[in-house]
């Protein structure tokens, strides 16, 4: 077992003042963006902002877009873009990241499989992704498999990857040591960052998968500029995470699945910890077990999913009940954490997509009738989004 705890060398795009790194991040999140709203975002004078952006242009981190192309990005709610309509004067040039200067590899280890993909510095996909089932869960075998998949997704036409971001469901210390990974059944701490870095020759950091999803949404997705944004995932496990003003709220215990055993249905099934109707009833295994009881034989989650697709009455009713329960969890999150919007994701979020009205019923049952309706979205799920999100974490470190 690797016990060396020297920090793994990790590249950074440039090294300047904190304000310069903050502005680069702002251009990543809100760009293309003109200098005036950018100065407002960071509460900087026009002069100070201009000096910073000159440095970033000189270092090849950002570039000016053609004149008159300002705006188009997503601004924080408090910032109003300058009104140049109808007035004379030089149109503002917008600034953007030189996104094709660097590439990153994202890898996600999920329940039984590994997905890898390549992205540019704005986390935009390059080429196709690869998903392979895990055949051997030992750290050495998984490392060898990751190295093979990574080499398959590296594009020969793009710059060599600056870093690998690797995510999994579990607890990771120092962005490298996997100390808890319920889907991998490892019984000792594994220095997965060092193993993958050695096998690929590419600087590697390891992150929690849900933290990665949230950071992706805050930097490149739906949470840009949103005051508070919550993510709930359903699949092999139940995940929950929340951001404040584009920053994921951090807590060392988050990765233990703190929303995994919240009471959502007093008549629900019993979980392995003995709770009746806790949020574990949203997991694939629990749904399969409940479905087995309904149809009278041992059914897999895949069988339930097939029957749901075929709209059999038994599968449809369990799908509706599951979505009502999910709605109760969404209401709990909305009532206590007061997010602006809730994103529902995870590999079994297709159930939620089919039954939005039952999610709404679950929410309404536990929310004041005069409170604003809870805004929730259910994007099309893909493992690629999870591997790209792991790369997003690596990008965030690369630019900070
Ligand atoms: Zn439980």
């Amino acid at each position: 077992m690797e016990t060396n705890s020297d920090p793994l060398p990790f590249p950074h795009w440039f090294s300047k003042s904190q304000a310069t790194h903050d502005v680069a991040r702002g251009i990543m999140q809100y760009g293309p963006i003109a200098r005036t709203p950018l100065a407002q975002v960071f509460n900087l004078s026009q002069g100070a902002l201009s000096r910073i952006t000159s440095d970033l242009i000189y270092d090849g981190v950002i570039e000016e877009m053609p004149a008159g192309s300002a705006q188009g990005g997503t601004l924080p709610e408090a910032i109003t873009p300058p009104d140049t309509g109808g007035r004379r004067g030089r149109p503002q040039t917008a600034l953007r990241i030189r996104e094709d200067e660097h590439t990153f590899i994202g890898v996600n280890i999920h329940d039984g499989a590994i997905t890898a993909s390549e992205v540019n510095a704005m986390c935009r996909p390059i080429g196709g992704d690869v998903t392979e089932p895990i055949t051997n869960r030992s750290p050495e075998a998984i490392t060898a498999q990751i190295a093979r998949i990574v080499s398959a997704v590296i594009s020969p036409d793009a710059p060599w990857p600056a870093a690998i971001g690797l995510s999994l469901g579990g607890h990771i210390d120092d962005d490298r040591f996997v100390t808890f990974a319920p889907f991998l059944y490892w019984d000792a701490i594994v220095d997965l960052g060092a193993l993958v870095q050695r096998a690929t020759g590419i600087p590697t950091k390891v992150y929690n998968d849900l933290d990665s999803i949230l950071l992706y949404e805050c930097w490149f997705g739906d949470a840009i500029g949103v005051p508070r944004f919550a993510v709930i995932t359903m699949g092999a496990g139940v995940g929950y995470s929340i951001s404040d003003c584009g920053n994921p709220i951090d807590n060392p215990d988050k990765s233990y699945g703190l929303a995994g055993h919240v009471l959502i249905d007093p008549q629900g099934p019993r979980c392995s910890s003995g709770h009746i109707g806790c949020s574990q009833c949203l997991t694939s295994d629990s749904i399969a077990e409940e479905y087995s009881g309904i149809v009278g034989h041992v059914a897999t989650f895949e069988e339930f999913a097939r029957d749901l697709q075929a709209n059999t009455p038994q599968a449809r009713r369990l799908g509706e009940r599951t979505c009502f329960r999910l709605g109760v969890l969404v209401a709990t999150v909305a009532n206590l954490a007061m997010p602006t919007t809730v994103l529902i994701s995870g590999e079994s979020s297709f159930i939620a997509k089919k039954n939005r009205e039952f999610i709404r019923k679950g929410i309404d049952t536990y929310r004041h009738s005069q409170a604003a309706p809870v805004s929730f979205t259910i994007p099309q799920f893909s493992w690629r989004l999870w591997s790209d999100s792991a790369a997003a974490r690596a990008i965030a470190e690369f630019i900070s």
Side-chain angles (χ1 to χ4, degrees):
M1 184 55 54
E2 181 82 18
T3 51
N4 178 16
S5 58
D6 290 341
L8 294 174
F10 196 84
H12 294 274
W13 197 337
F14 61 95
S15 181
K16 286 269 181 346
S17 69
Q18 187 59 48
T20 309
H21 287 271
D22 289 346
V23 167
R25 171 200 164 142
I27 295 170
M28 226 172 219
Q29 287 178 302
Y30 307 119
I33 180 171
R35 286 180 177 82
T36 303
L38 193 59
Q40 277 184 277
V41 169
F42 292 101
N43 206 14
L44 291 166
S45 70
Q46 286 289 340
L49 193 270
S50 284
R51 281 192 294 278
I52 287 174
T53 55
S54 297
D55 280 353
L56 288 170
I57 290 171
Y58 181 80
D59 283 350
V61 178
I62 62 167
E63 62 190 353
E64 287 186 314
M65 290 176 73
S69 56
Q71 303 317 322
T74 316
L75 288 168
E77 277 185 4
I79 305 297
T80 39
D83 175 21
T84 51
R87 272 189 285 147
R88 286 169 194 276
R90 197 161 63 93
Q92 287 229 332
T93 45
L95 302 166
R96 68 179 169 201
I97 294 288
R98 292 182 62 167
E99 58 185 275
D100 294 324
E101 295 291 308
H102 295 284
T103 68
F104 300 82
I105 301 293
V107 179
N108 176 247
I109 305 177
H110 40 95
D111 189 26
I114 300 171
T115 299
S117 54
E118 186 173 23
V119 297
N120 70 13
M122 283 294 289
C123 212
R124 283 192 242 275
I126 300 171
D129 54 304
V130 172
T131 297
E132 260 189 25
I134 296 170
T135 45
N136 179 337
R137 289 176 195 266
S138 76
E140 295 73 23
I142 284 194
T143 300
Q145 192 173 6
I146 289 171
R148 204 177 57 247
I149 304 175
V150 164
S151 65
V153 296
I154 293 177
S155 162
D157 305 321
W160 185 254
I164 295 173
L166 165 54
S167 73
L168 54 92
H171 188 85
I172 296 103
D173 280 343
D174 296 336
D175 296 340
R176 64 189 280 189
F177 299 102
V178 178
T179 63
F180 168 75
F183 306 117
L184 291 169
Y185 309 110
W186 291 343
D187 49 17
I189 295 172
V190 175
D191 189 355
L192 190 61
L195 285 172
V196 171
Q197 178 155 327
R198 203 177 304 131
T200 58
I202 302 170
T204 301
K205 291 234 174 181
V206 186
Y207 310 106
N208 174 265
D209 54 2
L210 204 62
D211 285 353
S212 304
I213 292 282
L214 190 66
L215 183 122
Y216 173 87
E217 296 297 342
C218 287
W219 283 50
F220 305 107
D222 293 335
I224 299 172
V226 172
R228 209 165 302 154
F229 186 88
V231 177
I232 292 175
T233 61
M234 56 187 291
V238 175
Y240 164 64
S241 206
I242 189 158
S243 69
D244 189 49
C245 299
N247 298 303
I249 289 180
D250 209 11
N251 181 292
D253 293 331
K254 257 171 53 167
S255 42
Y256 297 116
L258 299 178
H261 293 271
V262 175
L263 175 66
I264 53 175
D265 181 358
Q267 268 114 48
R270 185 186 292 269
C271 83
S272 56
S273 302
H275 313 128
I276 304 283
C278 78
S279 46
Q280 285 297 300
C281 66
L282 300 174
T283 63
S284 310
D285 279 356
S286 177
I287 291 171
E289 200 178 317
E290 204 172 351
Y291 194 56
S292 301
I294 293 168
V295 294
H297 64 258
V298 176
T300 61
F301 180 78
E302 287 67 34
E303 183 178 340
F304 163 72
R306 232 179 8 253
D307 291 354
L308 188 68
Q309 184 62 30
N311 206 24
T312 69
Q314 289 166 319
R316 194 182 65 235
R317 275 198 295 276
L318 180 56
E320 289 168 355
R321 197 182 309 150
T322 299
C323 287
F324 183 89
R325 292 164 172 167
L326 174 63
V328 177
L329 183 60
V330 172
T332 306
V333 165
N335 290 336
L336 299 182
M338 295 170 271
T340 317
T341 188
V342 179
L343 180 102
I344 297 166
S345 183
E347 65 267 33
S348 52
S349 59
F350 65 90
I351 305 172
K353 249 184 143 42
K354 277 181 84 80
N355 289 294
R356 295 180 64 93
E357 72 277 20
F358 280 84
I359 300 175
R360 185 62 68 193
K361 280 182 191 170
I363 294 173
D364 291 347
T365 307
Y366 288 93
R367 192 160 168 87
H368 195 281
S369 61
Q370 286 167 303
V374 177
S375 152
F376 65 90
T377 59
I378 314 166
Q380 190 67 39
F381 175 78
S382 76
W383 284 119
R384 166 141 212 170
L385 181 63
W386 288 52
S387 58
D388 286 357
S389 297
R393 287 284 309 255
I395 294 169
E397 294 219 22
F398 185 70
I399 204 163
S400 60

